[in-house]
Amino acid sequence: MNKKNIRKSLAPYTFLLVFIIGCLIVFKLFDNSVKELTYDEFIQDLNGGKITELTITPKVRTETYELVGKLESYKDNESFILYLPYSDEFISKITEAKEKTSDFQLTVKNDPEASSWLAVVIDVVPLLILGGITIWIFTRQLGSGSKSMDFGKSRAKLVEESRATFKDVAGLTEEKEEVQELIDFLKNPKKFTSMGARIPKGVMLVGPPGTGKTLLARAVAGEAKVPFYYISGSDFVELFVGIGASRVRDMFKQAKMNAPCLIFIDEIDAVGRQRGTGLGGGHDEREQTLNQLLTEMDGFGANEGIIIIAATNRPDVLDPALLRPGRFDRQITVNLPDKNSRMEILKVHAKNKTLDKNITLEYLAKRTPGFSGADLENLLNEAALLAVRRNKNEITMAEIDEATDRVLMGPAKVTKKYTDKEKKLVAFHEAGHAVMGLKLDGANEVQKITIIPRGNAGGYTMMTPKEEAFNYTKNELLESICGLLGGRVAEEITFGEVTTGAHDDFKKATKIARSMVTEYGMSNLGPMMLEEPDGNTFLGRDYTKNRNISDTVAHEIDEEMRSIINNCYEKTKKIITENKDLLALIANTLLEEETITKEEIDYLVKNGHLKKDEVKDETKEQDQKQEDAPKKEKKPNKKKTDNKQNKNEI
């Protein structure tokens, strides 16, 4: 909400507050220090002759007398007030007191409320004013675009015609082929109905965040040129009971009026989680919303021209009723892009970027395994921001490298200074990873090493798989563990002590070892699935493990894991010991340069030094040759010398 809308929404409340304050001020101004007397006090002052002025006003409606007057001790702005019931005896007492006191001024007024129409006005007008203010406030609220009173209305955003097309969706070749049928149906439904085919009512897009699920749904609507309804699963859930179900009904009502159309529900796991998984198993608001969604999907026909596309990155928590045929008939997995897909994605996002001619998108795609489409877009954007910050006209490889580090680890902590001992420890730790990557075929390939602190890491080694694969052999997994242990082993061999810097390496290595034993059947326990993700959906399935094993088997799992880690550690120690010279070479180069890339590492391993050191040596040799060269004696030009002398003298 912008400032203008905020001011509009607050205006009625501000007016009401000012009105109340004004009324209080007016009341205060007209309040001339009026004191309320009791009956006994009034009679005492009356008999004592202390009353100087008295005004009697009969109140017909309440059958009372309003007495307003002054005492002789009062100031000009002071008075008293008293209400007494109708009584002849009381009037006679006042008359007697008037006769005894000559200064007593008595006034009798008519009741202003005696008229029936005036009484009606006095009773009704305040109510009318209050009602009018209330109506005005609510009218302002509704007129200002606020949806606070629109509880049951659908929050789905309607896009008449999506501008996204398949050209904007890089990669996802198979996924686009899967949804092509939906586009053909939306364009020409008779082609399918004539064959008796039933088009899927719903399509579930499953995949990690940032892989392009939302963009794919928008592209389907753009290719079919049909209205596109967009809503998030969290928009259905409200505090008030029944609001979510009402919004579902309203959304489908609107969709039927604009058919053919497409409904996209993002993050459907917010409303589509398994029922009966809350605390106590209660029938909460979310379950009512889910039930209404299931009912609406059953309520319209397969070929009515409404197609629902939903997206989630948590398919394991969805209610099975959502995924049965007749609701979300088709499930499409949108995985992280491979090398070729990453290159296509980079081409799309590099269209409006000025890149250095030396940068090749193929090389960049190779260096970014595990990056999603959103990560790649962010990578190029960060590189562009860095180029602007450095006052460059184009994005160079230096900005790409820095942007990659920022995306993976965060910005560099330049102000954080190491001690000489810490810097040396980090250098040898990271060099240990590099040595294992160079000496083992199954270990990840080293792309970059740095000892500049980033995020929570004192330094890091960027390692990528030599080849992207869906399946890994046992030997490749073991060598991956060795690569992770290289840092700790290098510390132990070089310094004879270890640090806490390898905690993240141990975490990854232990996870691989456990998966080998419990999931992949790569241990002496045999080809068995001993653990699988399951458990309490309320907590999230990944937090608990469903173990159908005994304590004895659990102990054996721990022993197998320990055996795998220990064997890999001994193997790593042997390799590092045999290549101590290489370890020292890489570490010392790191201490000098702080950051070295894969190309520099390859040149360093092959030649024993960096290429720029070679340039330095050549320059030094040339300077030495010039110094050692015999200097020829030159005969002075007398004429010039004389001229120079003369000039200096002048």
Side-chain angles (χ1 to χ4, degrees):
M1 186 180 290
N2 55 31
K3 293 182 178 179
K4 187 176 181 181
N5 292 334
I6 293 175
R7 285 196 293 269
K8 285 184 178 180
S9 61
L10 293 178
Y13 301 105
T14 304
F15 173 79
L16 183 61
L17 180 62
V18 171
F19 177 78
I20 295 173
I21 294 174
C23 292
L24 293 175
I25 293 173
V26 172
F27 178 78
K28 191 68 177 177
L29 290 175
F30 285 94
D31 183 15
N32 294 325
S33 301
V34 179
K35 182 181 179 181
E36 189 171 346
L37 295 181
T38 63
Y39 177 77
D40 294 336
E41 290 174 340
F42 176 78
I43 296 297
Q44 185 178 357
D45 292 334
L46 182 66
N47 295 331
K50 297 180 180 181
I51 298 177
T52 58
E53 296 180 11
L54 183 64
T55 301
I56 301 176
T57 305
K59 300 291 183 181
V60 178
R61 297 178 61 203
T62 59
E63 295 184 354
T64 58
Y65 291 115
E66 181 187 72
L67 283 72
V68 180
K70 290 187 176 183
L71 301 178
E72 57 185 10
S73 60
Y74 282 6
K75 297 179 181 178
D76 293 339
N77 64 336
E78 293 180 339
S79 61
F80 66 83
I81 190 170
L82 179 67
Y83 292 93
L84 295 175
Y86 282 169
S87 175
D88 295 337
E89 182 182 356
F90 173 70
I91 297 297
S92 62
K93 288 182 179 181
I94 295 177
T95 305
E96 293 175 0
K98 174 72 172 67
E99 294 175 353
K100 293 179 181 179
T101 307
S102 58
D103 296 334
F104 191 0
Q105 298 180 9
L106 180 62
T107 306
V108 180
K109 293 184 177 181
N110 294 325
D111 184 8
E113 301 179 10
S115 174
S116 60
W117 67 267
L118 185 60
V120 172
V121 169
I122 293 174
D123 288 339
V124 175
V125 168
L127 296 176
L128 291 176
I129 294 174
L130 183 60
I133 293 174
T134 304
I135 294 172
W136 180 72
I137 291 174
F138 278 98
T139 304
R140 294 280 297 180
Q141 284 288 347
L142 295 174
S144 63
S146 174
K147 295 186 179 179
S148 58
M149 303 299 296
D150 242 356
F151 296 117
K153 296 293 183 181
S154 172
R155 297 291 179 89
K157 300 175 183 177
L158 174 61
V159 181
E160 293 291 343
E161 186 174 347
S162 178
R163 297 182 179 179
T165 62
F166 280 169
K167 293 181 180 179
D168 302 314
V169 184
L172 304 182
T173 305
E174 294 80 7
E175 291 80 359
K176 288 188 285 188
E177 291 178 357
E178 284 291 321
V179 298
Q180 186 63 46
E181 288 180 356
L182 306 179
I183 300 172
D184 295 339
F185 169 75
L186 293 171
K187 287 183 176 180
N188 187 13
K190 291 183 179 180
K191 182 172 68 174
F192 293 86
T193 56
S194 61
M195 293 294 294
R198 179 181 64 82
I199 205 68
K201 289 185 180 181
V203 176
M204 183 72 68
L205 302 179
V206 179
T211 51
K213 300 185 292 294
T214 303
L215 181 60
L216 181 61
R218 291 184 179 273
V220 172
E223 291 286 340
K225 296 183 174 15
V226 297
F228 177 81
Y229 286 92
Y230 173 84
I231 190 171
S232 176
S234 59
D235 289 333
F236 292 110
V237 183
E238 284 284 356
L239 176 65
F240 304 106
V241 177
I243 298 300
S246 177
R247 288 176 180 174
V248 172
R249 288 192 296 269
D250 188 66
M251 181 182 67
F252 278 88
K253 181 181 177 182
Q254 294 181 28
K256 290 176 181 178
M257 294 171 61
N258 290 280
C261 65
L262 189 146
I263 299 175
F264 177 64
I265 305 176
D266 199 8
E267 306 295 342
I268 195 174
D269 52 275
V271 71
R273 289 176 174 260
Q274 288 189 21
R275 289 165 289 183
T277 56
L279 290 175
H283 192 71
D284 58 7
E285 167 65 7
R286 181 184 55 78
E287 292 188 4
Q288 291 188 31
T289 306
L290 175 58
N291 291 335
Q292 188 63 44
L293 177 62
L294 298 176
T295 303
E296 292 292 337
M297 294 187 70
D298 290 334
F300 70 88
N303 297 325
E304 286 189 12
I306 302 175
I307 292 177
I308 305 174
I309 298 180
T312 180
N313 52 29
R314 293 297 308 276
D316 56 316
V317 303
L318 294 179
D319 195 284
L322 271 176
L323 305 176
R324 74 160 177 82
R327 287 166 181 162
F328 286 98
D329 308 78
R330 188 172 295 178
Q331 184 170 319
I332 300 175
T333 302
V334 185
N335 288 317
L336 293 171
D338 57 10
K339 177 186 173 183
N340 295 329
S341 297
R342 291 197 298 272
M343 188 168 65
E344 295 297 322
I345 295 171
L346 288 169
K347 286 181 181 179
V348 172
H349 296 301
K351 286 181 180 179
N352 61 343
K353 306 265 190 325
T354 305
L355 299 178
D356 183 71
K357 61 182 181 180
N358 296 322
I359 297 177
T360 59
L361 297 180
E362 184 178 0
Y363 173 72
L364 187 56
K366 184 180 179 181
R367 290 189 58 184
T368 52
F371 276 50
S372 66
D375 293 331
L376 295 172
E377 189 275 335
N378 188 36
L379 171 64
L380 291 181
N381 185 64
E382 285 287 344
L385 293 175
L386 287 170
V388 173
R389 192 181 302 170
R390 296 172 180 177
N391 296 320
K392 292 185 176 181
N393 297 323
E394 57 186 8
I395 301 172
T396 64
M397 200 63 204
E399 283 74 48
I400 295 292
D401 285 335
E402 177 65 19
T404 305
D405 295 340
R406 292 175 71 91
V407 171
L408 291 174
M409 303 294 297
K413 297 182 179 180
V414 183
T415 57
K416 185 178 179 180
K417 300 296 182 182
Y418 284 127
T419 63
D420 293 338
K421 182 180 179 181
E422 286 178 327
K423 191 173 183 180
K424 193 173 182 180
L425 278 167
V426 173
F428 274 87
H429 180 101
E430 302 302 334
H433 291 303
V435 170
M436 298 305 297
L438 292 169
K439 295 300 178 180
L440 294 178
D441 294 333
N444 291 336
E445 190 176 36
V446 179
Q447 296 291 339
K448 183 180 182 179
I449 314 174
T450 181
I451 57 174
I452 299 174
R454 289 183 181 272
N456 295 324
Y460 83 99
T461 302
M462 182 181 177
M463 305 177 73
T464 60
K466 292 182 173 63
E467 294 182 1
E468 294 185 47
F470 292 100
N471 297 308
Y472 297 94
T473 64
K474 181 179 179 180
N475 186 62
E476 289 173 341
L477 293 176
L478 292 174
E479 291 187 349
S480 296
I481 295 175
C482 291
L484 292 168
L485 298 176
R488 165 59 71 89
V489 173
E491 293 177 8
E492 183 181 350
I493 291 177
T494 306
F495 304 100
E497 60 180 357
V498 294
T499 67
T500 59
H503 68 280
D504 190 60
D505 299 328
F506 291 159
K507 180 180 178 180
K508 295 176 181 177
T510 304
K511 185 177 180 181
I512 295 174
R514 190 170 193 87
S515 297
M516 290 177 64
V517 178
T518 61
E519 299 180 34
Y520 306 148
M522 297 179 178
S523 70
N524 294 327
L525 297 181
M528 300 172 61
M529 174 70 74
L530 301 174
E531 288 181 352
E532 60 180 347
D534 200 355
N536 194 340
T537 310
F538 180 79
L539 297 174
R541 292 174 177 246
D542 292 342
Y543 291 101
T544 58
K545 294 277 188 177
N546 185 18
R547 298 193 309 169
N548 296 320
I549 57 176
S550 64
D551 294 338
T552 303
V553 176
H555 176 72
E556 292 177 354
I557 291 173
D558 295 338
E559 291 296 325
E560 287 292 324
M561 290 172 55
R562 187 177 292 106
S563 177
I564 291 174
I565 297 294
N566 290 338
N567 291 336
C568 290
Y569 196 89
E570 293 299 323
K571 182 178 180 180
T572 305
K573 185 181 289 188
K574 181 181 178 183
I575 295 174
I576 295 290
T577 304
E578 293 173 352
N579 296 273
K580 290 181 67 175
D581 294 339
L582 179 60
L583 176 70
L585 177 63
I586 297 175
N588 291 328
T589 306
L590 266 177
L591 288 172
E592 183 178 351
E593 303 294 334
E594 291 189 336
T595 301
I596 53 178
T597 63
K598 178 181 180 301
E599 292 75 16
E600 291 174 329
I601 294 172
D602 293 340
Y603 192 92
L604 181 66
V605 174
K606 184 178 180 181
N607 299 281
H609 57 81
L610 295 179
K611 192 173 184 179
K612 55 185 173 182
D613 295 334
E614 191 176 88
V615 174
K616 290 179 182 178
D617 293 339
E618 291 178 355
T619 305
K620 190 175 180 181
E621 289 178 3
Q622 291 176 359
D623 294 340
Q624 189 66 34
K625 287 180 181 180
Q626 292 178 359
E627 292 178 1
D628 296 340
K631 297 180 180 180
K632 295 181 179 179
E633 295 183 359
K634 295 182 179 180
K635 293 181 179 180
N637 190 326
K638 189 174 181 180
K639 187 176 180 180
K640 290 184 179 180
T641 304
D642 292 340
N643 289 339
K644 185 177 180 180
Q645 290 175 349
N646 292 336
K647 187 176 179 179
N648 290 336
E649 288 175 359
I650 293 172

